[in-house]
Amino acid sequence: MTSPDDSSHDSSAPHEQGPAGQGPAGQGPAGQGPADQGSADQGTEYADRVYRSPGGIAGGVLLLAIGAWLGIDAVIRGEGRTPWVALAGLLFAVPLVIAFTVRPAVYAGRDRLRVRNPFRTITLPWGSVEAVRASFSSEVLAGGAKYQMWAIPVSLRQRKRAGRRQAKAATEDPFRRTSVQVSADAAEAQRATADRSIDELRGLAETNAEREGAQGEPEVRWAFEVIAPAVAGIVLLAVVLAIT
């Protein structure tokens, strides 16, 4: 389950006033809407949409709390090699828990998609994105390669539950007594969270693919801030077990 966060930067600058009897520049008479909404949108900068897994984050925090409790207890009360084994185990396990639970996120901006997975961060300009899909996992195809999006897990159980709700709603309203808009909104709300997120990303890719700032090649960066501590922890653990 993911939680998209679509927010825009709040403009605190004062509005420029137009001629007398009118509202801010670019609008009609005071109290009316903007005269040219399209041109106003072009100059607006929006924050990234952020997709994360609340369940994964909650599980990671719980695992970290349990590991810290057991590890600190072993360091304080342990005897012999136990404190050293506990320290090495924490140095190895904590980065991995963070990598697989707290770290994954997907950032969708106007020019690019940034996918932060456990051990890599992939930056994909929208112009390079070929497809966004979700079957048994959420994936994005770009530059001839396939990248998984760990922050948008696919739940087959949630899909089945959503399918049952849609079938039940269709049975209860066989003559479509509700309006088309209400029916569409209800059907969208009943879909699995991952499928809704994938549809949003697919729409952003189609909308922004031709933007001048959305061109370029995919970039991949390894998360050495996660890999290095984990490697150091496993090496230290092996050394402690070998010499004691």
Side-chain angles (χ1 to χ4, degrees):
M1 181 175 183
T2 59
S3 58
D5 178 13
D6 184 12
S7 58
S8 61
H9 295 299
D10 185 16
S11 175
S12 58
H15 294 288
E16 181 182 356
Q17 295 294 326
Q22 295 187 359
Q27 296 188 0
Q32 295 186 5
D36 188 359
Q37 184 68 37
S39 60
D41 288 344
Q42 292 176 1
T44 305
E45 291 295 335
Y46 293 94
D48 290 348
R49 295 189 185 188
V50 182
Y51 299 84
R52 309 191 74 166
S53 174
I57 295 175
V61 171
L62 180 61
L63 288 176
L64 290 174
I66 294 175
W69 174 45
L70 296 176
I72 293 174
D73 182 72
V75 170
I76 295 175
R77 301 184 181 184
E79 299 178 357
R81 70 177 185 179
T82 301
W84 293 103
V85 172
L87 286 174
L90 287 175
L91 183 60
F92 169 66
V94 168
L96 294 182
V97 172
I98 293 176
F100 284 96
T101 59
V102 180
R103 173 180 163 82
V106 173
Y107 302 89
R110 299 184 67 193
D111 294 333
R112 60 188 55 84
L113 176 71
R114 184 159 62 95
V115 180
R116 195 171 69 186
N117 284 340
F119 300 115
R120 296 190 302 176
T121 298
I122 304 103
T123 302
L124 305 170
W126 288 120
S128 68
V129 174
E130 301 164 3
V132 183
R133 65 191 185 189
S135 52
F136 295 102
S137 63
S138 299
E139 303 168 344
V140 54
L141 278 64
K146 179 174 66 175
Y147 305 98
Q148 289 188 340
M149 293 183 286
W150 285 68
I152 308 179
V154 174
S155 173
L156 298 181
R157 178 180 298 179
Q158 193 177 69
R159 277 182 175 173
K160 292 180 180 179
R161 190 183 304 120
R164 288 196 296 269
R165 287 199 299 263
Q166 291 177 356
K168 181 179 178 180
T171 303
E172 292 176 349
D173 189 20
F175 301 104
R176 299 189 180 276
R177 291 183 293 270
T178 57
S179 66
V180 175
Q181 183 61 40
V182 171
S183 299
D185 293 343
E188 179 66 18
Q190 290 171 353
R191 298 185 64 205
T193 305
D195 293 332
R196 295 201 304 265
S197 300
I198 292 299
D199 284 348
E200 290 178 4
L201 294 176
R202 189 180 295 119
L204 289 172
E206 294 174 354
T207 301
N208 299 312
E210 302 300 326
R211 286 175 51 83
E212 182 179 354
Q215 308 306 313
E217 296 296 326
E219 298 179 3
V220 178
R221 184 185 70 84
W222 288 95
F224 293 106
E225 66 275 13
V226 173
I227 298 173
V231 172
I234 192 64
V235 171
L236 179 60
L237 183 60
V239 170
V240 170
L241 294 177
I243 65 177
T244 57

